[in-house]
Coordinates of all heavy atoms in Angstrom, one line a residue:
M1 N 0.8 -1.2 0.0 CA 0.0 0.0 0.0 C 0.9 1.3 0.0 O 1.8 1.4 0.8 CB -0.9 0.0 1.2 CG -2.0 1.0 1.2 SD -3.1 0.9 2.7 CE -4.2 -0.4 2.2
T2 N 0.7 2.2 -0.9 CA 1.5 3.4 -1.0 C 0.9 4.4 0.0 O -0.2 4.3 0.5 CB 1.5 4.0 -2.4 OG1 0.2 4.4 -2.7 CG2 2.0 3.0 -3.4
E3 N 1.7 5.5 0.2 CA 1.2 6.6 1.0 C -0.1 7.1 0.5 O -1.0 7.5 1.3 CB 2.3 7.7 1.0 CG 1.9 8.9 2.0 CD 3.0 9.9 2.0 OE1 4.2 9.6 1.7 OE2 2.6 11.0 2.4
Q4 N -0.3 7.2 -0.8 CA -1.5 7.8 -1.3 C -2.7 6.8 -1.1 O -3.8 7.3 -1.0 CB -1.4 8.0 -2.8 CG -0.5 9.2 -3.2 CD 1.0 8.9 -3.1 OE1 1.4 7.7 -3.1 NE2 1.8 9.9 -2.9
E5 N -2.4 5.5 -1.0 CA -3.5 4.6 -0.8 C -3.8 4.3 0.7 O -4.9 3.9 1.0 CB -3.1 3.2 -1.4 CG -2.9 3.3 -2.9 CD -2.3 2.0 -3.5 OE1 -1.7 1.3 -2.7 OE2 -2.4 1.8 -4.7
S6 N -2.9 4.7 1.6 CA -3.2 4.5 3.0 C -4.2 5.4 3.5 O -4.4 6.6 3.0 CB -1.9 4.8 3.8 OG -0.8 3.9 3.4
P7 N -5.1 4.9 4.4 CA -6.1 5.8 4.9 C -5.4 6.9 5.7 O -4.3 6.7 6.3 CB -6.9 5.0 5.9 CG -6.2 3.7 6.0 CD -5.2 3.6 4.9
T8 N -5.9 8.2 5.6 CA -5.2 9.3 6.3 C -5.6 9.3 7.7 O -6.8 9.4 8.1 CB -5.6 10.6 5.6 OG1 -5.3 10.6 4.2 CG2 -5.0 11.8 6.2
P9 N -4.6 9.2 8.6 CA -4.9 9.2 10.0 C -5.2 10.6 10.4 O -4.7 11.6 9.8 CB -3.6 8.8 10.7 CG -2.5 9.1 9.7 CD -3.1 9.0 8.4
E10 N -6.1 10.8 11.4 CA -6.5 12.1 11.9 C -5.4 12.6 12.8 O -4.9 11.9 13.7 CB -7.8 12.0 12.8 CG -8.3 13.3 13.2 CD -9.6 13.2 13.8 OE1 -10.3 12.2 13.7 OE2 -10.0 14.2 14.5
I11 N -4.9 13.8 12.5 CA -3.8 14.5 13.2 C -4.4 15.4 14.2 O -5.3 16.3 13.9 CB -2.9 15.2 12.3 CG1 -2.3 14.4 11.1 CG2 -1.7 15.9 13.1 CD1 -1.4 13.3 11.5
H12 N -4.0 15.3 15.5 CA -4.5 16.2 16.5 C -3.4 17.2 16.9 O -2.2 16.7 17.1 CB -4.9 15.4 17.8 CG -6.0 14.4 17.5 ND1 -7.3 14.8 17.4 CD2 -5.9 13.1 17.2 CE1 -8.0 13.6 17.1 NE2 -7.2 12.6 17.0
H13 N -3.7 18.4 17.1 CA -2.8 19.4 17.5 C -3.1 19.8 18.9 O -4.1 20.4 19.2 CB -2.8 20.7 16.6 CG -1.8 21.7 16.9 ND1 -1.9 23.0 16.5 CD2 -0.7 21.6 17.6 CE1 -0.9 23.7 16.9 NE2 -0.1 22.9 17.6
D14 N -2.2 19.5 19.8 CA -2.3 19.9 21.3 C -1.4 21.1 21.5 O -0.2 21.0 21.7 CB -1.9 18.8 22.1 CG -2.2 19.1 23.6 OD1 -2.3 20.2 24.0 OD2 -2.3 18.1 24.4
V15 N -2.0 22.3 21.4 CA -1.2 23.5 21.5 C -0.5 23.7 22.8 O 0.6 24.2 22.9 CB -2.1 24.8 21.2 CG1 -1.3 26.1 21.4 CG2 -2.7 24.7 19.9
A16 N -1.2 23.2 23.9 CA -0.7 23.3 25.2 C 0.7 22.6 25.4 O 1.5 23.1 26.2 CB -1.7 22.8 26.3
V17 N 0.9 21.5 24.8 CA 2.1 20.7 24.9 C 3.0 20.8 23.7 O 4.0 20.1 23.5 CB 1.9 19.3 25.4 CG1 1.3 19.2 26.7 CG2 1.1 18.5 24.3
H18 N 2.6 21.6 22.7 CA 3.3 21.8 21.4 C 3.6 20.5 20.7 O 4.7 20.1 20.4 CB 4.6 22.5 21.7 CG 4.4 23.9 22.2 ND1 5.5 24.6 22.8 CD2 3.4 24.7 22.2 CE1 5.0 25.8 23.2 NE2 3.8 25.9 22.9
R19 N 2.5 19.8 20.4 CA 2.6 18.5 19.8 C 1.5 18.2 18.8 O 0.3 18.5 19.0 CB 2.5 17.4 20.9 CG 2.6 16.0 20.4 CD 2.7 15.0 21.5 NE 4.1 14.8 21.9 CZ 4.5 14.0 22.7 NH1 3.7 13.1 23.3 NH2 5.8 13.9 23.0
F20 N 1.9 17.7 17.6 CA 0.9 17.1 16.7 C 1.0 15.6 16.8 O 2.1 15.0 16.9 CB 1.3 17.5 15.2 CG 1.2 18.9 14.9 CD1 2.1 19.8 15.2 CD2 0.0 19.3 14.3 CE1 1.9 21.2 14.9 CE2 -0.2 20.7 14.0 CZ 0.8 21.6 14.3
A21 N -0.1 14.9 16.9 CA -0.1 13.5 17.2 C -1.2 12.7 16.5 O -2.2 13.4 16.2 CB -0.2 13.2 18.7
T22 N -1.0 11.5 16.3 CA -2.0 10.6 15.7 C -1.8 9.2 16.3 O -0.7 8.9 16.8 CB -1.9 10.5 14.2 OG1 -3.1 9.9 13.7 CG2 -0.6 9.9 13.7
T23 N -2.9 8.4 16.3 CA -2.8 7.0 16.8 C -3.2 6.2 15.6 O -4.3 6.4 15.0 CB -3.7 6.8 18.0 OG1 -3.3 7.7 19.1 CG2 -3.6 5.4 18.5
V24 N -2.4 5.2 15.3 CA -2.6 4.3 14.2 C -2.5 2.9 14.7 O -1.4 2.5 15.3 CB -1.7 4.5 13.0 CG1 -1.9 3.5 11.9 CG2 -1.9 5.9 12.5
D25 N -3.5 2.0 14.5 CA -3.4 0.6 15.1 C -3.0 0.6 16.5 O -2.2 -0.3 16.9 CB -2.5 -0.2 14.2 CG -3.0 -0.3 12.7 OD1 -4.1 -0.1 12.5 OD2 -2.1 -0.7 11.9
G26 N -3.4 1.5 17.3 CA -3.2 1.6 18.7 C -1.8 2.1 19.1 O -1.5 2.2 20.3
A27 N -1.0 2.5 18.1 CA 0.3 3.1 18.4 C 0.3 4.6 18.1 O -0.2 5.0 17.1 CB 1.4 2.4 17.5
K28 N 0.9 5.3 19.1 CA 0.9 6.8 18.9 C 2.2 7.3 18.3 O 3.3 6.9 18.6 CB 0.8 7.4 20.4 CG 0.6 8.9 20.3 CD 0.2 9.4 21.7 CE -0.3 10.9 21.5 NZ -1.0 11.3 22.7
A29 N 2.0 8.2 17.3 CA 3.1 8.9 16.6 C 2.9 10.3 16.9 O 1.8 10.8 17.0 CB 3.0 8.5 15.1
Y30 N 4.1 11.1 16.9 CA 3.9 12.5 17.2 C 5.1 13.3 16.6 O 6.1 12.8 16.2 CB 3.8 12.7 18.7 CG 5.0 12.2 19.5 CD1 6.1 13.0 19.7 CD2 5.0 10.9 20.0 CE1 7.2 12.5 20.4 CE2 6.1 10.4 20.7 CZ 7.2 11.2 20.9 OH 8.3 10.7 21.6
L31 N 4.8 14.6 16.6 CA 5.9 15.6 16.2 C 5.8 16.6 17.3 O 4.7 17.2 17.6 CB 5.5 16.3 14.9 CG 6.4 17.4 14.4 CD1 6.5 17.4 12.9 CD2 5.9 18.8 14.9
D32 N 7.0 16.9 17.9 CA 7.1 17.9 18.9 C 7.7 19.2 18.4 O 8.6 19.1 17.5 CB 7.9 17.4 20.1 CG 7.2 16.4 21.0 OD1 6.0 16.4 21.0 OD2 7.9 15.6 21.6
Y33 N 7.3 20.3 19.0 CA 7.9 21.6 18.5 C 7.9 22.5 19.7 O 7.3 22.3 20.7 CB 7.1 22.2 17.4 CG 5.8 22.7 17.7 CD1 5.5 24.0 18.1 CD2 4.6 21.8 17.7 CE1 4.2 24.4 18.5 CE2 3.4 22.3 18.0 CZ 3.2 23.6 18.4 OH 1.9 24.0 18.7
Q34 N 8.8 23.6 19.6 CA 8.8 24.7 20.6 C 8.6 25.9 19.8 O 8.8 26.0 18.6 CB 10.2 24.7 21.2 CG 10.6 23.5 22.0 CD 12.0 23.5 22.5 OE1 12.8 24.4 22.1 NE2 12.4 22.5 23.3
M35 N 8.1 27.0 20.6 CA 8.0 28.3 19.9 C 9.1 29.2 20.3 O 9.5 29.2 21.5 CB 6.6 28.9 20.3 CG 5.4 28.1 19.8 SD 5.3 28.0 18.0 CE 5.3 29.7 17.5
D36 N 9.6 29.9 19.3 CA 10.7 30.9 19.6 C 10.1 32.2 18.9 O 10.3 32.4 17.8 CB 12.0 30.4 19.0 CG 13.1 31.4 19.2 OD1 13.0 32.4 19.9 OD2 14.2 31.2 18.5
G37 N 9.4 33.0 19.7 CA 8.7 34.1 19.1 C 7.7 33.6 18.1 O 6.8 32.9 18.4
R38 N 7.8 34.1 16.8 CA 6.9 33.7 15.8 C 7.4 32.6 14.9 O 7.1 32.4 13.8 CB 6.5 34.9 14.9 CG 5.9 36.1 15.6 CD 4.5 35.9 16.0 NE 3.6 35.6 14.9 CZ 2.5 34.9 14.9 NH1 2.0 34.4 16.0 NH2 1.8 34.7 13.8
T39 N 8.4 31.8 15.5 CA 9.0 30.7 14.8 C 8.7 29.4 15.5 O 8.9 29.2 16.7 CB 10.5 30.8 14.7 OG1 10.8 32.1 14.0 CG2 11.1 29.7 13.9
M40 N 8.1 28.4 14.7 CA 7.9 27.1 15.2 C 9.2 26.3 15.0 O 9.6 26.2 13.8 CB 6.7 26.4 14.5 CG 6.5 24.9 14.8 SD 5.3 24.2 13.7 CE 3.8 24.8 14.4
V41 N 9.8 25.8 16.1 CA 11.0 25.0 15.9 C 10.6 23.6 16.1 O 10.2 23.1 17.2 CB 12.0 25.4 17.0 CG1 13.3 24.6 16.9 CG2 12.2 26.9 17.0
V42 N 10.7 22.8 15.0 CA 10.3 21.3 15.0 C 11.5 20.6 15.6 O 12.6 20.6 15.1 CB 10.0 20.9 13.6 CG1 9.7 19.4 13.7 CG2 8.8 21.6 13.0
T43 N 11.3 20.0 16.7 CA 12.4 19.4 17.5 C 12.5 17.9 17.4 O 13.6 17.3 17.6 CB 12.3 19.7 19.0 OG1 11.0 19.3 19.5 CG2 12.5 21.2 19.2
H44 N 11.3 17.2 17.1 CA 11.4 15.8 17.2 C 10.2 15.2 16.4 O 9.1 15.7 16.6 CB 11.4 15.3 18.6 CG 11.6 13.8 18.8 ND1 12.7 13.1 18.4 CD2 10.8 12.8 19.3 CE1 12.6 11.8 18.6 NE2 11.4 11.6 19.2
T45 N 10.4 14.2 15.7 CA 9.3 13.4 15.0 C 9.5 12.0 15.4 O 10.6 11.4 15.3 CB 9.3 13.6 13.5 OG1 9.2 14.9 13.2 CG2 8.1 12.9 12.9
W46 N 8.4 11.3 15.9 CA 8.5 9.9 16.3 C 7.4 9.1 15.7 O 6.2 9.4 15.9 CB 8.5 9.8 17.8 CG 8.3 8.4 18.4 CD1 7.2 7.9 19.0 CD2 9.3 7.4 18.3 NE1 7.4 6.6 19.3 CE2 8.7 6.2 18.9 CE3 10.6 7.3 17.8 CZ2 9.4 5.0 19.0 CZ3 11.2 6.1 18.0 CH2 10.6 5.0 18.6
V47 N 7.7 8.0 15.1 CA 6.8 7.0 14.6 C 7.3 5.7 15.0 O 8.4 5.3 14.6 CB 6.6 7.0 13.1 CG1 5.6 6.0 12.6 CG2 6.1 8.4 12.6
P48 N 6.5 4.9 15.9 CA 7.1 3.6 16.3 C 7.1 2.6 15.1 O 6.4 2.7 14.2 CB 6.0 3.1 17.3 CG 4.9 4.1 17.3 CD 5.3 5.3 16.4
E49 N 8.1 1.7 15.2 CA 8.4 0.8 14.2 C 7.2 0.0 13.6 O 7.0 -0.2 12.4 CB 9.5 -0.2 14.6 CG 10.1 -1.1 13.5 CD 11.2 -1.9 14.0 OE1 12.0 -1.4 14.8 OE2 11.3 -3.0 13.5
P50 N 6.3 -0.5 14.5 CA 5.1 -1.2 14.0 C 4.3 -0.5 13.0 O 3.6 -1.1 12.2 CB 4.3 -1.6 15.3 CG 5.3 -1.5 16.4 CD 6.3 -0.5 16.0
I51 N 4.3 0.8 13.1 CA 3.4 1.6 12.1 C 4.3 2.4 11.2 O 3.8 3.3 10.4 CB 2.4 2.5 12.8 CG1 3.1 3.5 13.7 CG2 1.4 1.6 13.6 CD1 2.1 4.5 14.3
G52 N 5.6 2.2 11.1 CA 6.5 2.9 10.2 C 6.3 2.5 8.8 O 5.6 1.5 8.5
G53 N 6.8 3.4 7.9 CA 6.7 3.1 6.4 C 5.3 3.3 5.8 O 5.1 2.9 4.7
R54 N 4.5 4.1 6.5 CA 3.1 4.3 6.0 C 2.9 5.8 5.7 O 1.8 6.2 5.4 CB 2.1 3.9 7.0 CG 2.1 2.4 7.4 CD 1.0 2.1 8.3 NE 1.2 0.8 9.0 CZ 0.3 0.3 9.8 NH1 -0.9 0.9 10.1 NH2 0.5 -0.9 10.4
G55 N 4.0 6.6 5.8 CA 3.8 8.0 5.5 C 3.3 8.8 6.6 O 2.9 10.0 6.4
I56 N 3.3 8.3 7.8 CA 2.7 8.9 9.0 C 3.6 10.1 9.4 O 3.1 11.2 9.7 CB 2.5 8.0 10.2 CG1 1.4 6.9 9.7 CG2 2.1 8.7 11.4 CD1 1.4 5.7 10.7
A57 N 4.9 9.9 9.4 CA 5.8 11.1 9.8 C 5.6 12.2 8.8 O 5.5 13.4 9.2 CB 7.2 10.6 9.8
S58 N 5.5 11.9 7.5 CA 5.2 12.9 6.5 C 4.0 13.7 6.8 O 3.9 14.9 6.7 CB 5.2 12.3 5.1 OG 5.0 13.3 4.1
R59 N 2.9 13.0 7.2 CA 1.7 13.7 7.4 C 1.7 14.5 8.7 O 1.2 15.6 8.7 CB 0.5 12.6 7.6 CG 0.2 12.0 6.3 CD -1.0 11.0 6.4 NE -1.3 10.4 5.1 CZ -1.1 9.1 4.9 NH1 -0.6 8.3 5.8 NH2 -1.4 8.6 3.7
L60 N 2.5 14.1 9.6 CA 2.7 14.9 10.9 C 3.4 16.2 10.5 O 3.0 17.3 10.9 CB 3.5 14.1 11.9 CG 2.7 13.0 12.6 CD1 3.6 12.1 13.4 CD2 1.6 13.6 13.5
V61 N 4.5 16.1 9.7 CA 5.3 17.3 9.4 C 4.4 18.2 8.5 O 4.4 19.4 8.7 CB 6.6 16.9 8.7 CG1 7.4 18.1 8.2 CG2 7.5 16.1 9.6
R62 N 3.7 17.6 7.6 CA 2.9 18.5 6.7 C 1.8 19.2 7.6 O 1.6 20.4 7.3 CB 2.1 17.6 5.7 CG 1.3 18.5 4.7 CD 0.6 17.6 3.6 NE 1.5 16.8 2.9 CZ 2.3 17.1 1.9 NH1 2.3 18.3 1.5 NH2 3.1 16.2 1.3
A63 N 1.2 18.5 8.5 CA 0.3 19.2 9.4 C 0.9 20.4 10.2 O 0.3 21.4 10.3 CB -0.3 18.2 10.4
A64 N 2.1 20.2 10.6 CA 2.8 21.3 11.3 C 3.1 22.5 10.4 O 2.9 23.6 10.8 CB 4.1 20.7 11.9
F65 N 3.6 22.1 9.2 CA 3.9 23.2 8.3 C 2.6 23.9 7.8 O 2.6 25.2 7.7 CB 4.6 22.7 7.0 CG 6.1 22.7 7.2 CD1 6.7 21.8 8.0 CD2 6.9 23.6 6.5 CE1 8.1 21.8 8.2 CE2 8.3 23.6 6.6 CZ 8.9 22.7 7.5
E66 N 1.5 23.2 7.6 CA 0.3 23.8 7.3 C -0.2 24.7 8.4 O -0.8 25.8 8.2 CB -0.8 22.8 6.9 CG -0.5 22.2 5.5 CD -0.6 23.2 4.4 OE1 -1.4 24.1 4.4 OE2 0.1 23.0 3.4
Y67 N -0.1 24.3 9.6 CA -0.5 25.1 10.8 C 0.3 26.4 10.8 O -0.2 27.4 11.0 CB -0.3 24.3 12.1 CG -0.5 25.2 13.3 CD1 -1.8 25.6 13.7 CD2 0.6 25.7 14.0 CE1 -1.9 26.4 14.8 CE2 0.5 26.5 15.1 CZ -0.8 26.9 15.5 OH -0.9 27.7 16.6
A68 N 1.6 26.2 10.6 CA 2.5 27.4 10.6 C 2.1 28.4 9.5 O 2.0 29.6 9.8 CB 4.0 27.0 10.4
R69 N 1.8 27.9 8.4 CA 1.4 28.7 7.2 C 0.1 29.5 7.6 O 0.0 30.7 7.4 CB 1.1 27.9 6.0 CG 0.7 28.7 4.8 CD 0.5 27.9 3.5 NE 1.9 27.7 3.0 CZ 2.2 26.8 2.1 NH1 1.4 25.9 1.8 NH2 3.4 26.7 1.6
E70 N -0.9 28.8 8.1 CA -2.2 29.4 8.4 C -2.0 30.4 9.6 O -2.7 31.4 9.7 CB -3.2 28.4 8.9 CG -3.6 27.5 7.6 CD -4.4 26.3 8.0 OE1 -4.9 26.2 9.2 OE2 -4.6 25.4 7.2
A71 N -1.1 30.2 10.5 CA -0.9 31.1 11.7 C 0.1 32.2 11.4 O 0.3 33.0 12.3 CB -0.5 30.2 12.9
G72 N 0.7 32.2 10.2 CA 1.6 33.2 9.9 C 2.9 33.1 10.6 O 3.7 34.0 10.8
L73 N 3.3 31.8 10.8 CA 4.6 31.5 11.5 C 5.7 31.1 10.6 O 5.4 30.7 9.4 CB 4.4 30.4 12.5 CG 3.3 30.5 13.6 CD1 3.1 29.2 14.4 CD2 3.7 31.7 14.5
K74 N 6.9 31.2 11.0 CA 8.0 30.6 10.2 C 8.4 29.3 10.9 O 7.9 29.0 12.0 CB 9.3 31.6 10.3 CG 9.1 32.9 9.5 CD 9.0 32.5 8.0 CE 9.0 33.8 7.2 NZ 9.1 33.4 5.8
V75 N 9.2 28.5 10.2 CA 9.5 27.2 10.7 C 11.0 27.0 10.7 O 11.7 27.3 9.7 CB 8.9 26.0 9.9 CG1 9.3 24.7 10.5 CG2 7.3 26.2 9.9
R76 N 11.6 26.4 11.8 CA 13.0 26.1 11.8 C 13.0 24.6 12.2 O 12.3 24.2 13.1 CB 13.8 26.9 12.8 CG 15.3 26.5 12.9 CD 16.1 27.4 13.7 NE 15.7 27.6 15.0 CZ 15.3 28.7 15.6 NH1 15.2 29.8 14.9 NH2 15.0 28.8 16.9
T77 N 13.7 23.8 11.4 CA 13.8 22.4 11.6 C 15.0 22.0 12.4 O 16.1 22.2 11.9 CB 13.7 21.6 10.3 OG1 14.7 22.0 9.5 CG2 12.4 21.8 9.6
Q78 N 14.9 21.4 13.6 CA 16.0 20.8 14.3 C 15.9 19.3 14.2 O 16.9 18.7 14.6 CB 15.9 21.3 15.8 CG 16.3 22.8 16.0 CD 16.3 23.1 17.4 OE1 15.8 22.5 18.3 NE2 16.9 24.3 17.7
C79 N 14.8 18.8 13.8 CA 14.6 17.4 13.6 C 15.1 17.0 12.2 O 14.7 17.6 11.2 CB 13.1 17.1 13.7 SG 12.5 15.5 13.1
S80 N 16.0 16.0 12.1 CA 16.5 15.6 10.8 C 15.4 15.1 9.8 O 15.6 15.4 8.6 CB 17.6 14.6 11.0 OG 17.0 13.4 11.6
Y81 N 14.4 14.5 10.3 CA 13.4 14.0 9.4 C 12.7 15.2 8.8 O 12.4 15.3 7.6 CB 12.3 13.1 10.1 CG 11.3 12.7 9.1 CD1 11.5 11.6 8.2 CD2 10.1 13.4 9.0 CE1 10.5 11.3 7.3 CE2 9.2 13.1 8.0 CZ 9.4 12.0 7.2 OH 8.4 11.7 6.2
A82 N 12.2 16.2 9.6 CA 11.5 17.4 9.2 C 12.4 18.2 8.2 O 11.9 18.8 7.3 CB 11.1 18.2 10.4
E83 N 13.7 18.3 8.5 CA 14.6 19.0 7.6 C 14.6 18.3 6.2 O 14.5 19.1 5.2 CB 16.0 19.0 8.2 CG 17.0 19.8 7.4 CD 18.3 20.0 8.0 OE1 18.5 19.7 9.2 OE2 19.2 20.5 7.3
A84 N 14.8 17.1 6.2 CA 14.9 16.3 4.9 C 13.5 16.5 4.2 O 13.5 16.7 3.0 CB 15.2 14.9 5.1
W85 N 12.4 16.3 4.9 CA 11.1 16.4 4.4 C 10.9 17.8 3.7 O 10.5 17.9 2.6 CB 10.1 16.2 5.4 CG 8.6 16.3 5.0 CD1 7.9 15.2 4.6 CD2 7.8 17.4 4.9 NE1 6.6 15.7 4.3 CE2 6.5 17.0 4.4 CE3 8.0 18.8 5.1 CZ2 5.5 17.9 4.2 CZ3 6.9 19.7 4.8 CH2 5.7 19.3 4.4
S86 N 11.3 18.9 4.4 CA 11.1 20.2 3.9 C 12.0 20.5 2.7 O 11.6 21.2 1.7 CB 11.3 21.3 4.9 OG 12.7 21.3 5.4
K87 N 13.2 19.9 2.6 CA 14.0 20.1 1.4 C 13.5 19.5 0.2 O 13.8 19.9 -0.9 CB 15.4 19.5 1.7 CG 16.2 20.4 2.6 CD 17.6 19.8 2.9 CE 18.4 20.7 3.8 NZ 19.7 20.2 4.2
R88 N 12.6 18.5 0.3 CA 12.0 17.8 -0.8 C 10.7 18.5 -1.3 O 10.1 18.0 -2.2 CB 11.7 16.3 -0.5 CG 13.0 15.4 -0.3 CD 12.7 14.0 -0.2 NE 11.6 13.7 0.8 CZ 11.8 13.4 2.1 NH1 13.0 13.4 2.6 NH2 10.8 13.1 2.8
R89 N 10.3 19.5 -0.6 CA 9.1 20.2 -0.9 C 9.2 21.7 -1.0 O 9.0 22.4 0.0 CB 8.0 19.8 0.2 CG 7.7 18.3 0.1 CD 6.9 17.8 1.3 NE 6.5 16.4 1.1 CZ 7.3 15.4 1.2 NH1 8.6 15.6 1.7 NH2 6.9 14.2 1.1
P90 N 9.6 22.2 -2.2 CA 9.8 23.6 -2.4 C 8.6 24.5 -2.1 O 8.8 25.7 -1.8 CB 10.3 23.7 -3.8 CG 9.9 22.4 -4.5 CD 9.8 21.4 -3.4
E91 N 7.4 23.9 -2.1 CA 6.3 24.7 -1.8 C 6.2 25.2 -0.4 O 5.4 26.1 0.0 CB 5.0 23.9 -2.2 CG 4.7 22.7 -1.3 CD 5.3 21.4 -1.8 OE1 6.4 21.4 -2.5 OE2 4.8 20.3 -1.5
Y92 N 7.1 24.7 0.5 CA 7.1 25.1 1.9 C 8.4 25.9 2.2 O 8.6 26.4 3.3 CB 7.0 23.9 2.8 CG 5.7 23.2 2.8 CD1 5.5 22.1 2.1 CD2 4.6 23.8 3.5 CE1 4.3 21.4 2.1 CE2 3.4 23.2 3.4 CZ 3.2 22.0 2.7 OH 2.0 21.4 2.7
A93 N 9.2 26.2 1.2 CA 10.5 26.9 1.4 C 10.3 28.3 2.0 O 11.1 28.7 2.8 CB 11.3 27.0 0.1
S94 N 9.2 29.0 1.6 CA 9.0 30.3 2.1 C 8.8 30.4 3.6 O 8.9 31.4 4.3 CB 7.9 31.0 1.4 OG 6.6 30.3 1.7
L95 N 8.4 29.2 4.2 CA 8.2 29.2 5.7 C 9.5 29.0 6.5 O 9.5 29.3 7.7 CB 7.2 28.0 6.0 CG 5.9 28.1 5.4 CD1 5.1 26.9 5.8 CD2 5.1 29.4 5.9
L96 N 10.5 28.5 5.8 CA 11.8 28.2 6.5 C 12.6 29.4 6.9 O 12.7 30.3 6.2 CB 12.6 27.2 5.7 CG 12.0 25.9 5.5 CD1 12.8 25.1 4.5 CD2 11.9 25.1 6.8
V97 N 13.2 29.3 8.1 CA 14.2 30.4 8.5 C 15.5 29.7 8.7 O 15.6 28.6 8.9 CB 13.8 31.1 9.8 CG1 12.6 31.9 9.6 CG2 13.5 30.1 10.9

């Protein structure tokens, strides 16, 4: 099953703890960030091995970047996955600092 064929998991944004998260097949995946003024600093993306390879990390990062775009924020990636993801998607380049 490809990323496009996989059912899209619902991503929840918990502003209080600075986390985007989803649960797939009972396993929780998440992206953590910190705020530095008007910059969202993506610090960590975690997808447990049993649900890996399904595009879940990509969906989490996309949700964070879309939130930043809608909120008028910039994004700095300290997480290696989010950095690699953003380099492959020039449509988000204007958000990066």
Side-chain angles (χ1 to χ4, degrees):
M1 192 179 277
T2 67
E3 182 178 338
Q4 289 77 20
E5 295 170 342
S6 299
T8 303
E10 187 174 345
I11 307 292
H12 302 279
H13 182 199
D14 188 339
V15 178
V17 297
H18 297 164
R19 176 174 278 186
F20 289 86
T22 190
T23 302
V24 177
D25 296 342
K28 189 168 194 166
Y30 59 87
L31 174 147
D32 287 336
Y33 68 92
Q34 298 172 351
M35 292 303 300
D36 181 9
R38 300 286 302 154
T39 300
M40 172 188 284
V41 182
V42 179
T43 57
H44 186 65
T45 304
W46 168 252
V47 177
E49 192 174 320
I51 60 171
R54 300 186 197 181
I56 296 166
S58 178
R59 290 186 180 110
L60 288 166
V61 176
R62 184 178 308 279
F65 271 73
E66 287 296 327
Y67 171 77
R69 177 177 279 159
E70 292 170 14
L73 304 172
K74 290 293 189 176
V75 179
R76 183 168 57 242
T77 55
Q78 289 182 343
C79 162
S80 60
Y81 179 85
E83 182 174 350
W85 182 95
S86 65
K87 286 181 179 178
R88 293 189 309 268
R89 291 168 177 82
E91 65 270 29
Y92 293 102
S94 65
L95 297 176
L96 295 170
V97 290

